[in-house]
């Protein structure tokens, strides 16, 4: 059972070449930009440069991609609002290209970043954001499903997630209960979009039940995977920084095949992910591992054995999970 509370899908229009963009750039805000380039901080300078350019983030992303630098619109938005900073080499290269694209003097933005921050296991990597299509890159039908919902970024940061997965006597999934702590990254956020992949393309799709602090909206699915995209409308519209808690349960059809993993994809860093799996006492796997990978179907970047209790229960706690897929995977007799 694989799930994600992160979605992105953007359609980018054709844009004029760099020299054409410079020719039509409005001069409004140029004085403010000069001032903030002298004083900083980086996010204020980037925001002023974007506004002075008259370009949308989608157009900026498109121009960066033409130069061979893939940066998501979400990442650009986070940089612009100071929610994260460019740290990786490719991110720094993107800033160099932004200076050229936005008409900022050389080193005008880079100089405001200062030296790279220390990196390591003890450092929260909040500068990393990945596209949902990259996270779920093996699923070619996902962009169309998201497009049918009109979905881009749902504007919610997954602060914490708790998944509780129960299996039946055949080793198939019976139910999955999810609790999410969410924080709005912009004003006017009114829904949460989730992606769900089942184990059995020949089986019926799971049913959403017991939804709390939200109500079920539209569902779009590709039964051949099976893949489901669902929107949950929040009980209230959130302003930037506002928080909410939602909970829902997925009930799976009785005829499903044996499951071999359960996990969650994150397109942006979170604070905590807790995953519990309860096996039926008559059907317990021989071993189980906690795994982290860059994508839902990717090879594990790390895999550690975890203890299965006498009652057939196992859990994993992922602190500060960065973008990628976190899961428990097990092997049957």
């Amino acid at each position: 059972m694989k799930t994600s509370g992160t979605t992105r899908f953007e359609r980018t229009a054709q844009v004029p070449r760099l020299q054409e963009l410079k020719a039509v750039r409005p001069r409004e805000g140029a004085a403010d930009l000069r001032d903030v380039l002298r004083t900083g901080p980086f996010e204020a300078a980037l925001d002023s440069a974007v506004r002075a350019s008259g370009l949308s983030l989608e157009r900026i992303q498109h121009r960066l991609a033409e130069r061979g630098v893939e940066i998501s619109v979400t990442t650009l938005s986070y940089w612009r609002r100071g929610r994260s900073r460019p740290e990786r080499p490719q991110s720094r290269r993107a800033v160099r290209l932004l200076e050229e694209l936005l008409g900022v003097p050389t080193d005008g933005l880079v100089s405001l970043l200062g030296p790279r921050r220390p990196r390591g296991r003890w450092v929260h990597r909040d500068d990393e954001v990945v596209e949902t299509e990259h996270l779920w890159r093996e699923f070619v039908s996902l962009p169309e499903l998201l497009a049918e919902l009109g979905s881009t970024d749902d504007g919610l940061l997954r602060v914490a997630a708790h998944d509780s997965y129960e299996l039946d006597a055949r080793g198939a999934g019976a139910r999955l209960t999810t609790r999410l702590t969410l924080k709005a990254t912009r004003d006017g956020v009114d829904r949460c979009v989730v992606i769900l992949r089942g184990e059995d393309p020949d089986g019926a799709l799971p049913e959403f039940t017991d939804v709390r602090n939200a109500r079920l909206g539209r569902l779009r699915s590709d039964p051949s995977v099976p893949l489901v995209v669902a929107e949950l409308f929040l009980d209230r519209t959130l302003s930037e920084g506002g928080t909410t808690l939602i909970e829902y349960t997925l009930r799976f059809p009785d005829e499903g095949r044996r499951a071999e993993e359960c996990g969650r994809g994150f397109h942006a860093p979170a604070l905590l992910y807790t995953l519990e799996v309860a096996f039926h006492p008559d059907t317990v796997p021989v071993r189980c591992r906690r795994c982290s990978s860059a994508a839902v179907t990717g090879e594990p970047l790390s895999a550690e054995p975890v203890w299965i209790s006498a009652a057939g229960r196992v859990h994993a706690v992922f602190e500060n999970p960065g973008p990628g897929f976190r899961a428990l995977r097990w092997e049957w007799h």
Side-chain angles (χ1 to χ4, degrees), residues 7-11 132-133 136-152 191 193 195 218-222 225 227-230:
T7 57
R8 290 204 51 80
F9 178 75
E10 286 119 13
R11 296 184 182 274
T132 295
E133 285 86 344
W136 294 76
R137 54 178 174 258
E138 297 296 325
F139 306 99
V140 296
S141 61
L142 178 61
E144 186 61 31
L145 298 179
L146 293 173
E148 290 181 15
L149 292 185
S151 173
T152 54
R191 68 173 184 166
V193 181
I195 304 171
R218 293 171 294 174
L219 295 172
R220 295 295 183 269
S221 64
D222 178 0
V225 177
L227 191 67
V228 179
V229 178

Side-chain angles (χ1 to χ4, degrees), residues 8 72 74-75 78 84 88 126-131 267-269 323:
R8 290 204 51 80
S72 71
T74 301
T75 298
Y78 281 11
S84 64
R88 292 175 295 171
D126 60 354
D127 61 300
E128 299 179 9
V129 180
V130 301
E131 295 283 357
H267 92 285

Side-chain angles (χ1 to χ4, degrees), residues 90-286:
Q90 175 160 302
S91 298
R92 294 270 175 151
R93 183 185 171 205
V95 175
R96 291 285 186 191
L97 292 177
L98 283 172
E99 292 174 344
E100 178 183 351
L101 176 61
L102 301 176
V104 174
T106 301
D107 292 334
L109 293 174
V110 171
S111 64
L112 296 175
L113 290 173
R116 294 184 64 191
R117 294 179 297 184
R119 304 296 294 253
R121 293 177 60 90
W122 58 90
V123 179
H124 180 43
R125 298 186 173 189
D126 60 354
D127 61 300
E128 299 179 9
V129 180
V130 301
E131 295 283 357
T132 295
E133 285 86 344
H134 177 78
L135 191 63
W136 294 76
R137 54 178 174 258
E138 297 296 325
F139 306 99
V140 296
S141 61
L142 178 61
E144 186 61 31
L145 298 179
L146 293 173
E148 290 181 15
L149 292 185
S151 173
T152 54
D153 179 7
D154 63 8
L156 289 168
L157 178 66
R158 277 62 179 172
V159 178
H162 187 149
D163 287 329
S164 181
Y165 190 43
E166 300 175 43
L167 289 82
D168 62 22
R170 295 173 297 106
R175 66 182 57 84
L176 172 70
T177 297
T178 294
R179 301 174 184 88
L180 297 174
T181 303
L182 306 170
K183 182 177 182 180
T185 61
R186 61 170 184 261
D187 291 335
V189 174
D190 63 357
R191 68 173 184 166
C192 175
V193 181
V194 298
I195 304 171
L196 174 74
R197 182 196 175 217
E199 298 287 343
D200 188 0
D202 299 322
L205 295 172
E207 175 188 2
F208 279 82
T209 65
D210 303 325
V211 180
R212 296 179 56 194
N213 299 328
R215 59 181 175 84
L216 184 63
R218 293 171 294 174
L219 295 172
R220 295 295 183 269
S221 64
D222 178 0
S224 67
V225 177
L227 191 67
V228 179
V229 178
E231 61 181 357
L232 300 174
F233 287 103
L234 307 179
D235 281 351
R236 60 187 179 92
T237 300
L238 301 179
S239 300
E240 183 174 1
T243 60
T244 189
L245 306 174
I246 67 172
E247 181 177 330
Y248 58 87
T249 296
L250 292 161
R251 297 188 183 276
F252 300 93
D254 294 335
E255 69 273 13
R257 67 176 60 170
R258 274 188 168 187
E260 295 181 346
E261 70 175 352
C262 182
R264 174 170 292 272
F266 295 89
H267 92 285
L271 293 182
L272 185 69
Y273 175 43
T274 305
L275 173 57
E276 298 179 282
V277 178
F279 300 103
H280 192 278
D282 296 336
T283 311
V284 179
V286 294

